[in-house]
Amino acid sequence: MRQRIYLDTSVIGGYLDKEFQEWSRKLFDEFKTGKNIAVISDVTLDEIENARQEVRDLLKIIPEESKE
């Protein structure tokens, strides 16, 4: 059974942050391979709208079947 893992903006931004990127990238890899499901709230989506393009694009690398 795949785990459902909630993503907030700090986890998404951590993908690009040298201090947190090792862990964030491993987590994103698990979403990309279908091992786990990324749960993304409307609040997180609203916050991401105001982020720089590089951060907004990160949600696009997660396949739709691994997002809810």
Coordinates of all heavy atoms in Angstrom, one line a residue:
M1 N 0.8 -1.2 0.0 CA 0.0 0.0 0.0 C 0.9 1.3 0.0 O 1.8 1.4 0.8 CB -0.9 0.0 1.2 CG -1.8 1.1 1.3 SD -3.0 0.9 2.6 CE -3.5 2.5 2.9
R2 N 0.6 2.2 -0.9 CA 1.3 3.4 -1.0 C 0.9 4.4 0.1 O -0.2 4.5 0.5 CB 1.1 4.1 -2.3 CG 1.5 3.2 -3.5 CD 1.5 3.9 -4.8 NE 0.2 4.5 -5.2 CZ 0.1 5.4 -6.2 NH1 1.1 5.7 -6.9 NH2 -1.1 5.9 -6.5
Q3 N 1.9 5.0 0.7 CA 1.7 6.0 1.7 C 1.2 7.3 1.0 O 1.7 7.7 -0.1 CB 2.9 6.3 2.5 CG 3.3 5.3 3.5 CD 4.5 5.7 4.4 OE1 5.1 6.7 4.1 NE2 4.6 5.0 5.4
R4 N 0.3 8.0 1.7 CA -0.1 9.3 1.3 C 0.6 10.3 2.1 O 0.5 10.3 3.4 CB -1.6 9.5 1.5 CG -2.4 8.5 0.6 CD -3.9 8.5 1.0 NE -4.5 9.7 0.7 CZ -5.1 10.5 1.6 NH1 -5.2 10.1 2.9 NH2 -5.7 11.6 1.2
I5 N 1.4 11.2 1.5 CA 2.3 12.1 2.2 C 1.9 13.6 1.9 O 1.9 13.9 0.7 CB 3.8 11.9 1.9 CG1 4.1 10.5 2.3 CG2 4.6 12.9 2.6 CD1 5.5 10.0 1.9
Y6 N 1.6 14.4 2.9 CA 1.2 15.7 2.7 C 2.4 16.6 2.4 O 3.4 16.5 3.1 CB 0.4 16.3 3.9 CG 0.1 17.7 3.8 CD1 -0.9 18.2 3.0 CD2 0.8 18.7 4.5 CE1 -1.2 19.5 2.9 CE2 0.5 20.0 4.4 CZ -0.5 20.4 3.6 OH -0.8 21.8 3.5
L7 N 2.3 17.4 1.3 CA 3.3 18.3 0.9 C 2.9 19.7 1.3 O 1.8 20.2 0.8 CB 3.6 18.3 -0.6 CG 4.3 17.0 -1.1 CD1 4.6 17.2 -2.6 CD2 5.6 16.8 -0.4
D8 N 3.7 20.4 2.1 CA 3.4 21.9 2.2 C 4.5 22.6 1.5 O 5.4 22.0 0.9 CB 3.3 22.2 3.7 CG 4.7 22.1 4.5 OD1 5.7 21.8 3.8 OD2 4.6 22.3 5.7
T9 N 4.4 23.9 1.5 CA 5.3 24.7 0.7 C 6.8 24.6 1.1 O 7.7 24.6 0.3 CB 4.9 26.2 0.7 OG1 4.8 26.6 2.0 CG2 3.6 26.4 0.0
S10 N 7.0 24.3 2.4 CA 8.4 24.2 2.8 C 9.1 23.0 2.3 O 10.3 23.0 2.0 CB 8.5 24.3 4.4 OG 7.8 23.2 4.9
V11 N 8.3 21.9 2.1 CA 8.8 20.6 1.6 C 9.1 20.8 0.1 O 10.2 20.4 -0.4 CB 7.9 19.5 1.8 CG1 8.4 18.2 1.1 CG2 7.7 19.2 3.3
I12 N 8.2 21.5 -0.6 CA 8.4 21.8 -2.0 C 9.6 22.7 -2.2 O 10.5 22.4 -3.1 CB 7.1 22.4 -2.6 CG1 6.0 21.3 -2.5 CG2 7.3 22.7 -4.1 CD1 4.6 21.9 -2.7
G13 N 9.7 23.8 -1.5 CA 10.8 24.7 -1.6 C 12.1 24.0 -1.2 O 13.2 24.4 -1.7
G14 N 12.0 23.0 -0.3 CA 13.2 22.3 0.2 C 14.0 21.6 -1.0 O 15.1 21.3 -0.9
Y15 N 13.2 21.3 -2.0 CA 13.8 20.6 -3.2 C 15.0 21.5 -3.7 O 15.9 21.0 -4.3 CB 12.7 20.4 -4.2 CG 13.1 19.6 -5.4 CD1 12.9 18.2 -5.4 CD2 13.8 20.1 -6.5 CE1 13.2 17.4 -6.5 CE2 14.1 19.3 -7.6 CZ 13.8 17.9 -7.5 OH 14.2 17.1 -8.6
L16 N 14.8 22.8 -3.6 CA 15.8 23.7 -4.2 C 16.8 24.3 -3.1 O 17.7 25.1 -3.5 CB 15.1 24.9 -4.9 CG 14.2 24.4 -6.0 CD1 13.4 25.6 -6.6 CD2 15.0 23.8 -7.2
D17 N 16.6 24.0 -1.9 CA 17.4 24.5 -0.8 C 18.5 23.5 -0.4 O 18.2 22.4 -0.1 CB 16.4 24.7 0.4 CG 17.1 25.4 1.6 OD1 18.3 25.2 1.8 OD2 16.4 26.1 2.3
K18 N 19.7 24.0 -0.5 CA 20.8 23.1 -0.3 C 20.7 22.4 1.0 O 21.1 21.2 1.1 CB 22.1 23.9 -0.3 CG 23.4 23.1 -0.3 CD 24.6 23.9 -0.5 CE 25.8 22.9 -0.5 NZ 27.0 23.5 -1.0
E19 N 20.2 23.0 2.1 CA 20.1 22.4 3.4 C 19.2 21.2 3.4 O 19.4 20.2 4.1 CB 19.7 23.4 4.4 CG 19.6 22.9 5.8 CD 19.2 23.9 6.9 OE1 19.1 25.1 6.5 OE2 19.1 23.5 8.0
F20 N 18.1 21.3 2.6 CA 17.0 20.2 2.7 C 16.9 19.4 1.4 O 16.1 18.5 1.4 CB 15.7 20.9 3.0 CG 15.7 21.7 4.3 CD1 15.7 23.0 4.3 CD2 15.7 21.0 5.5 CE1 15.7 23.7 5.5 CE2 15.7 21.7 6.7 CZ 15.8 23.1 6.7
Q21 N 17.6 19.8 0.4 CA 17.4 19.1 -0.9 C 17.6 17.6 -0.9 O 16.9 16.9 -1.7 CB 18.2 19.8 -2.0 CG 19.6 19.6 -2.0 CD 20.3 20.3 -3.2 OE1 20.0 20.1 -4.3 NE2 21.2 21.2 -2.8
E22 N 18.5 17.1 -0.2 CA 18.7 15.7 -0.2 C 17.5 14.9 0.2 O 17.1 14.0 -0.5 CB 19.8 15.3 0.8 CG 20.0 13.8 0.9 CD 21.1 13.4 2.0 OE1 21.7 14.3 2.6 OE2 21.2 12.2 2.2
W23 N 16.8 15.3 1.2 CA 15.6 14.7 1.7 C 14.4 15.0 0.8 O 13.6 14.1 0.5 CB 15.3 15.0 3.1 CG 16.5 14.8 4.0 CD1 17.3 15.7 4.6 CD2 17.1 13.5 4.3 NE1 18.3 15.1 5.2 CE2 18.2 13.8 5.1 CE3 16.8 12.2 3.9 CZ2 19.0 12.7 5.5 CZ3 17.6 11.2 4.4 CH2 18.7 11.5 5.2
S24 N 14.2 16.2 0.4 CA 13.1 16.6 -0.5 C 13.2 15.9 -1.8 O 12.2 15.4 -2.3 CB 13.1 18.1 -0.7 OG 12.7 18.7 0.5
R25 N 14.4 15.8 -2.4 CA 14.5 15.1 -3.7 C 14.2 13.6 -3.6 O 13.7 13.0 -4.5 CB 15.9 15.4 -4.3 CG 16.0 16.9 -4.7 CD 17.3 17.2 -5.3 NE 17.3 18.7 -5.6 CZ 18.0 19.2 -6.5 NH1 18.7 18.5 -7.3 NH2 17.9 20.5 -6.7
K26 N 14.7 13.0 -2.5 CA 14.3 11.6 -2.3 C 12.8 11.4 -2.2 O 12.3 10.4 -2.8 CB 15.0 11.0 -1.0 CG 16.5 10.8 -1.1 CD 17.0 10.2 0.1 CE 18.5 10.0 0.0 NZ 19.1 9.5 1.2
L27 N 12.1 12.3 -1.5 CA 10.7 12.2 -1.4 C 10.0 12.4 -2.8 O 9.2 11.6 -3.2 CB 10.2 13.3 -0.4 CG 8.7 13.2 -0.1 CD1 8.3 11.9 0.5 CD2 8.4 14.4 0.9
F28 N 10.5 13.4 -3.6 CA 10.0 13.6 -4.9 C 10.2 12.4 -5.8 O 9.4 12.0 -6.6 CB 10.6 14.9 -5.5 CG 9.8 16.1 -5.3 CD1 9.8 16.7 -4.0 CD2 9.0 16.7 -6.3 CE1 9.0 17.8 -3.7 CE2 8.3 17.9 -6.0 CZ 8.3 18.4 -4.8
D29 N 11.4 11.7 -5.6 CA 11.7 10.5 -6.4 C 10.6 9.4 -6.1 O 10.2 8.7 -7.0 CB 13.1 10.0 -6.1 CG 14.1 10.9 -6.8 OD1 13.8 11.6 -7.7 OD2 15.3 10.7 -6.4
E30 N 10.2 9.3 -4.8 CA 9.2 8.3 -4.5 C 7.9 8.6 -5.1 O 7.1 7.7 -5.4 CB 9.1 8.3 -2.9 CG 10.3 7.7 -2.3 CD 10.3 7.6 -0.8 OE1 9.3 8.1 -0.2 OE2 11.3 7.2 -0.2
F31 N 7.6 9.9 -5.3 CA 6.3 10.3 -6.0 C 6.4 10.0 -7.5 O 5.5 9.4 -8.1 CB 6.0 11.7 -5.8 CG 5.8 12.2 -4.3 CD1 6.3 13.3 -3.8 CD2 5.0 11.4 -3.5 CE1 6.1 13.7 -2.5 CE2 4.8 11.7 -2.1 CZ 5.3 12.9 -1.7
K32 N 7.6 10.3 -8.0 CA 7.8 10.1 -9.5 C 7.7 8.6 -9.8 O 7.3 8.2 -10.9 CB 9.1 10.7 -9.9 CG 9.1 12.2 -10.0 CD 10.3 12.8 -10.6 CE 11.5 12.7 -9.8 NZ 12.7 13.4 -10.4
T33 N 8.3 7.7 -8.9 CA 8.3 6.3 -9.2 C 7.0 5.6 -8.8 O 6.8 4.4 -9.1 CB 9.4 5.6 -8.5 OG1 9.3 5.7 -7.1 CG2 10.8 6.1 -8.9
G34 N 6.1 6.4 -8.2 CA 4.8 5.8 -7.8 C 4.8 5.1 -6.5 O 3.8 4.5 -6.1
K35 N 5.9 5.2 -5.7 CA 6.0 4.5 -4.5 C 5.0 5.1 -3.4 O 4.4 4.4 -2.6 CB 7.4 4.6 -3.9 CG 7.6 3.9 -2.6 CD 9.0 3.9 -2.1 CE 9.1 3.2 -0.8 NZ 10.5 3.3 -0.2
N36 N 4.9 6.4 -3.5 CA 4.0 7.1 -2.6 C 3.1 8.2 -3.3 O 3.4 8.5 -4.5 CB 4.8 7.9 -1.5 CG 5.5 6.9 -0.5 OD1 4.9 5.9 -0.1 ND2 6.8 7.1 -0.2
I37 N 2.1 8.7 -2.6 CA 1.2 9.7 -3.2 C 1.4 11.0 -2.5 O 1.4 11.1 -1.3 CB -0.2 9.2 -3.0 CG1 -0.4 7.9 -3.8 CG2 -1.2 10.3 -3.5 CD1 -1.8 7.2 -3.5
A38 N 1.6 12.1 -3.3 CA 1.7 13.4 -2.8 C 0.3 14.0 -2.6 O -0.5 14.0 -3.5 CB 2.5 14.3 -3.7
V39 N 0.0 14.4 -1.3 CA -1.3 15.0 -1.0 C -1.0 16.5 -0.9 O -0.2 17.0 -0.1 CB -1.9 14.5 0.3 CG1 -3.1 15.2 0.7 CG2 -2.0 13.0 0.2
I40 N -1.7 17.3 -1.8 CA -1.4 18.7 -1.9 C -2.7 19.4 -1.7 O -3.7 19.3 -2.4 CB -0.8 19.0 -3.3 CG1 0.4 18.1 -3.6 CG2 -0.5 20.5 -3.4 CD1 0.8 18.1 -5.0
S41 N -2.8 20.3 -0.7 CA -4.0 21.0 -0.3 C -4.2 22.2 -1.2 O -3.2 22.7 -1.8 CB -3.9 21.4 1.1 OG -3.0 22.5 1.3
D42 N -5.4 22.8 -1.2 CA -5.7 24.0 -1.9 C -4.8 25.2 -1.3 O -4.4 26.1 -2.0 CB -7.1 24.4 -1.8 CG -8.0 23.4 -2.6 OD1 -7.4 22.8 -3.6 OD2 -9.2 23.3 -2.4
V43 N -4.6 25.1 0.0 CA -3.8 26.2 0.7 C -2.4 26.1 0.1 O -1.8 27.2 -0.2 CB -3.8 26.0 2.2 CG1 -2.8 26.9 2.9 CG2 -5.2 26.2 2.8
T44 N -1.8 25.0 0.0 CA -0.5 24.8 -0.6 C -0.4 25.3 -2.0 O 0.5 26.1 -2.4 CB 0.0 23.4 -0.5 OG1 0.1 23.0 0.9 CG2 1.4 23.2 -1.1
L45 N -1.4 25.0 -2.8 CA -1.5 25.4 -4.2 C -1.6 26.9 -4.3 O -1.0 27.6 -5.1 CB -2.7 24.8 -4.9 CG -2.6 23.2 -5.1 CD1 -3.8 22.7 -5.7 CD2 -1.4 22.9 -6.0
D46 N -2.4 27.5 -3.4 CA -2.5 29.0 -3.4 C -1.2 29.6 -3.0 O -0.8 30.6 -3.6 CB -3.6 29.4 -2.3 CG -5.0 29.2 -2.8 OD1 -5.2 28.9 -4.0 OD2 -5.9 29.2 -1.9
E47 N -0.5 29.1 -2.0 CA 0.9 29.6 -1.7 C 1.9 29.5 -2.8 O 2.7 30.4 -3.0 CB 1.4 28.9 -0.4 CG 0.6 29.3 0.8 CD 1.0 28.5 2.1 OE1 1.7 27.5 2.0 OE2 0.5 28.8 3.2
I48 N 1.8 28.4 -3.5 CA 2.8 28.1 -4.6 C 2.6 29.1 -5.7 O 3.5 29.4 -6.4 CB 2.7 26.6 -5.0 CG1 3.2 25.7 -4.0 CG2 3.4 26.4 -6.3 CD1 4.7 25.8 -3.7
E49 N 1.3 29.5 -5.9 CA 1.0 30.5 -7.0 C 1.9 31.7 -6.9 O 2.2 32.3 -7.9 CB -0.4 30.9 -7.0 CG -1.4 30.0 -7.6 CD -2.8 30.5 -7.7 OE1 -3.0 31.7 -7.7 OE2 -3.7 29.7 -7.7
N50 N 2.3 32.1 -5.7 CA 3.1 33.3 -5.5 C 4.6 33.0 -5.5 O 5.4 34.0 -5.3 CB 2.7 34.0 -4.2 CG 1.2 34.5 -4.2 OD1 0.8 35.0 -5.2 ND2 0.5 34.2 -3.2
A51 N 5.0 31.8 -5.6 CA 6.4 31.4 -5.6 C 7.0 31.7 -7.0 O 6.3 31.8 -8.0 CB 6.5 30.0 -5.2
R52 N 8.3 31.7 -7.0 CA 9.0 31.8 -8.3 C 8.7 30.6 -9.2 O 8.4 29.5 -8.7 CB 10.5 32.1 -8.1 CG 11.2 31.0 -7.4 CD 12.7 31.5 -7.1 NE 13.5 30.4 -6.9 CZ 13.9 30.0 -5.7 NH1 13.4 30.6 -4.6 NH2 14.6 28.9 -5.6
Q53 N 8.8 30.8 -10.5 CA 8.4 29.8 -11.5 C 9.1 28.5 -11.2 O 8.6 27.4 -11.3 CB 8.8 30.3 -12.9 CG 8.3 29.4 -14.0 CD 6.8 29.3 -14.0 OE1 6.1 30.3 -14.0 NE2 6.2 28.1 -14.1
E54 N 10.4 28.5 -10.8 CA 11.2 27.3 -10.6 C 10.5 26.4 -9.5 O 10.5 25.2 -9.6 CB 12.6 27.8 -10.1 CG 13.6 26.7 -9.8 CD 14.9 27.3 -9.4 OE1 15.0 28.4 -8.8 OE2 15.9 26.6 -9.6
V55 N 9.9 27.1 -8.5 CA 9.2 26.3 -7.4 C 7.9 25.8 -7.9 O 7.6 24.6 -7.7 CB 9.0 27.2 -6.2 CG1 8.2 26.5 -5.1 CG2 10.4 27.6 -5.6
R56 N 7.2 26.6 -8.7 CA 5.9 26.2 -9.2 C 6.0 25.0 -10.1 O 5.2 24.1 -10.1 CB 5.2 27.3 -9.9 CG 4.7 28.4 -9.0 CD 3.8 29.4 -9.7 NE 4.2 29.9 -11.0 CZ 4.9 31.1 -11.2 NH1 5.1 31.9 -10.2 NH2 5.2 31.4 -12.4
D57 N 7.1 25.0 -10.9 CA 7.3 23.9 -11.8 C 7.6 22.5 -11.2 O 7.4 21.5 -11.8 CB 8.5 24.2 -12.8 CG 8.1 25.3 -13.8 OD1 6.9 25.6 -14.0 OD2 9.0 25.9 -14.4
L58 N 8.0 22.5 -9.9 CA 8.3 21.3 -9.2 C 7.1 20.3 -9.1 O 7.2 19.1 -9.2 CB 8.8 21.6 -7.8 CG 10.2 22.1 -7.8 CD1 10.6 22.6 -6.4 CD2 11.2 21.2 -8.4
L59 N 5.9 20.9 -9.0 CA 4.7 20.0 -8.9 C 4.4 19.3 -10.2 O 3.8 18.3 -10.2 CB 3.5 20.9 -8.4 CG 3.5 21.4 -7.0 CD1 2.2 22.1 -6.7 CD2 3.7 20.2 -6.0
K60 N 4.9 19.9 -11.3 CA 4.7 19.3 -12.6 C 5.5 18.0 -12.8 O 5.2 17.2 -13.6 CB 5.1 20.3 -13.7 CG 4.2 21.5 -13.7 CD 4.6 22.5 -14.8 CE 3.8 23.7 -14.7 NZ 4.3 24.8 -15.6
I61 N 6.6 17.8 -12.0 CA 7.4 16.6 -12.1 C 6.8 15.4 -11.4 O 7.3 14.3 -11.6 CB 8.9 16.8 -11.7 CG1 9.0 17.1 -10.2 CG2 9.5 17.9 -12.5 CD1 10.4 17.1 -9.7
I62 N 5.8 15.6 -10.6 CA 5.1 14.5 -10.0 C 3.9 14.1 -10.9 O 3.1 14.9 -11.3 CB 4.5 15.0 -8.6 CG1 5.6 15.5 -7.7 CG2 3.7 13.8 -8.0 CD1 5.1 16.1 -6.4
P63 N 3.9 12.8 -11.3 CA 2.9 12.3 -12.2 C 1.5 12.5 -11.6 O 1.3 12.4 -10.3 CB 3.2 10.8 -12.4 CG 4.6 10.7 -11.9 CD 4.9 11.8 -10.9
E64 N 0.5 12.8 -12.4 CA -0.9 13.0 -11.9 C -1.4 11.8 -11.1 O -2.1 12.0 -10.1 CB -1.8 13.2 -13.1 CG -1.7 14.6 -13.7 CD -1.9 15.7 -12.7 OE1 -2.8 15.7 -11.9 OE2 -1.0 16.7 -12.8
E65 N -1.0 10.6 -11.4 CA -1.5 9.4 -10.7 C -0.8 9.3 -9.3 O -1.2 8.5 -8.5 CB -1.3 8.1 -11.5 CG 0.2 7.8 -11.9 CD 0.6 8.4 -13.2 OE1 -0.2 9.2 -13.8 OE2 1.7 8.1 -13.6
S66 N 0.2 10.1 -9.0 CA 0.9 10.2 -7.7 C 0.5 11.4 -7.0 O 1.2 11.8 -6.0 CB 2.4 10.1 -7.9 OG 2.7 8.8 -8.4
K67 N -0.6 12.1 -7.4 CA -1.0 13.3 -6.7 C -2.5 13.2 -6.3 O -3.2 12.6 -7.1 CB -0.9 14.6 -7.6 CG 0.5 15.1 -7.8 CD 0.5 16.4 -8.5 CE 0.8 16.3 -9.9 NZ 1.0 17.6 -10.6
E68 N -2.8 13.8 -5.2 CA -4.2 14.0 -4.9 C -4.4 15.3 -4.1 O -3.5 15.8 -3.5 CB -4.8 12.8 -4.2 CG -4.3 12.5 -2.9 CD -5.0 11.3 -2.2 OE1 -5.0 10.2 -2.7 OE2 -5.6 11.6 -1.1

